[in-house]
Amino acid sequence: MDSTNAYLSPWRRLWLHALLVIVLFFLLAPVLVVVPMSFSASNYLEFPPREWSLRWYETFFGSSEWLHATRTSLIVSGLTTLLATPLGVAAAAALSRSRITTAQILKGVFLLPQVVPVIILGIGVFFLYIRLGLVNSLPGIVMAHTALALPFVVVTTLSGLKTFDHNLEIAAQSLGAHPIRAFLGITLPRIKLSVLAGALFAFITSLDEVVISLFIAGGDNTLLTKKMFLSLRDQLDPTIAAVSSILIIMSIVGVFIFMVAAGSNKDGRRP
C-alpha cells in the first residue's frame, strides 16, 4: 500500500463527510434565505414567505433605474475584465521570468489592493479622482475596479505558469519566433484555464464591488451594488432580494461555464 495514502476508518470518513456538509450548508445558507425571499408577496423582506409572488422581479424588470444600474454594472464589469485580463497575464509572465527576490517584491505590490482595507482605498481613490475630475465617470470606475481585479488575474496566471515548461517557448524562439508570438502560440493555449479563471474572478469582483463604488460611482453611472445599498439603507425593499437572486444565478452560470471549459480542455488532452 502506498504510504502517501493514509487509511481512513469508516468513522473518520463519516466525520469528514459530516464536516463537509456543515461547511457547504454554512456557505449556502445565505442563498437558501435570499432566493425564497425574492418570491415573497409581502411588502417587506420576509422569511419564510407566507405568500409567493413574482411581483419583485416584475418591479425590477419594470424599473428604468434598476435596469440602468444593472446595464452600467455589466458594462463596467466587462470593460474591467477586458482591461485586467491582458494586463494581469502580461504582469504574471514578467514575474515568472524575474529573479526570485524581485518577483516576490513585485508580487507583493500587485497584491496590495487585496491587503489594504477597501475603505481606505475608496477614500484615497475618491480624493485622487476629485483632482483628476474622474468622480462619477465610467473610465474612473473601470480603472478603480481594474486595480482591484488585477491581483486575481496575476495570481491565477502565475499558478498556471508554474506548471508550464518554459523550454517549449524558448525552443520556439530559437526557431525564429518572436517572443510575443511564442507566448501567444505556445504558452497561452496551455495556461488558458488559469487565464479564464482570472477573467472570471475579475468580472465577479467588479460586479460585486460596493465600497469603492459608494465613493466614485453616481449619477448616470450609478452601479447596481450602490443602488442596492442605498435601497437597503432607505427602505427594506424586497426588490433587493430579487436582484441578489439574479446576481447569484449569474455567478453560478459563470462558474458552470468555467467548469465546462475545464472539462472540455481535459478531454482534449486525452490520447
Side-chain angles (χ1 to χ4, degrees):
M1 180 179 178
D2 190 354
S3 59
T4 59
N5 296 326
Y7 173 75
L8 292 177
S9 65
W11 286 109
R12 288 186 176 181
R13 290 180 183 272
L14 181 61
W15 181 83
L16 288 176
H17 291 163
L19 180 61
L20 177 61
V21 171
I22 293 174
V23 172
L24 289 177
F25 178 78
F26 177 77
L27 294 175
L28 294 177
V31 178
L32 299 177
V33 173
V34 171
V35 174
M37 284 196 304
S38 68
F39 293 98
S40 173
S42 173
N43 292 328
Y44 305 96
L45 292 173
E46 182 182 72
F47 182 83
R50 288 176 291 181
E51 296 182 11
W52 301 90
S53 173
L54 294 175
R55 59 178 296 191
W56 300 116
Y57 287 93
E58 295 174 356
T59 300
F60 170 74
F61 287 106
S63 171
S64 59
E65 293 183 2
W66 281 108
L67 292 179
H68 181 77
T70 303
R71 182 167 56 252
T72 304
S73 291
L74 292 176
I75 292 174
V76 169
S77 300
L79 293 176
T80 298
T81 304
L82 292 176
L83 188 59
T85 302
L87 289 177
V89 171
L95 288 174
S96 66
R97 291 167 172 77
S98 301
R99 295 180 179 179
I100 297 178
T101 304
T102 305
Q104 292 300 323
I105 295 175
L106 292 177
K107 184 187 291 187
V109 173
F110 278 107
L111 294 179
L112 277 178
Q114 298 300 319
V115 177
V116 178
V118 183
I119 185 67
I120 297 178
L121 291 176
I123 295 173
V125 171
F126 175 71
F127 283 102
L128 175 63
Y129 277 13
I130 287 179
R131 295 179 176 273
L132 300 177
L134 291 174
V135 175
N136 298 338
S137 67
L138 191 65
I141 299 172
V142 171
M143 286 190 292
H145 283 200
T146 299
L148 293 177
L150 198 59
F152 292 100
V153 182
V154 172
V155 170
T156 55
T157 304
L158 279 175
S159 65
L161 288 171
K162 286 182 178 179
T163 61
F164 173 72
D165 186 3
H166 292 278
N167 291 325
L168 297 176
E169 186 176 335
I170 296 175
Q173 294 181 27
S174 66
L175 294 175
H178 190 274
I180 297 179
R181 184 177 180 182
F183 179 82
L184 295 177
I186 302 297
T187 306
L188 188 58
R190 287 165 175 78
I191 62 170
K192 61 182 179 181
L193 285 181
S194 299
V195 175
L196 181 59
L200 178 61
F201 282 128
F203 184 87
I204 294 177
T205 299
S206 176
L207 190 63
D208 292 342
E209 166 55 35
V210 60
V211 177
I212 291 181
S213 301
L214 291 175
F215 287 94
I216 65 172
D220 292 336
N221 291 317
T222 298
L223 299 181
L224 182 61
T225 50
K226 181 175 182 178
K227 173 69 174 173
M228 293 173 65
F229 178 83
L230 296 178
S231 297
L232 186 62
R233 184 194 63 182
D234 299 335
Q235 58 181 348
L236 295 178
D237 187 356
T239 307
I240 301 173
V243 178
S244 301
S245 300
I246 294 174
L247 291 177
I248 291 171
I249 293 174
M250 292 178 60
S251 300
I252 293 175
V253 170
V255 173
F256 177 76
I257 292 175
F258 173 77
M259 293 177 63
V260 170
S264 61
N265 184 70
K266 290 181 179 180
D267 293 339
R269 290 184 178 180
R270 292 175 182 175

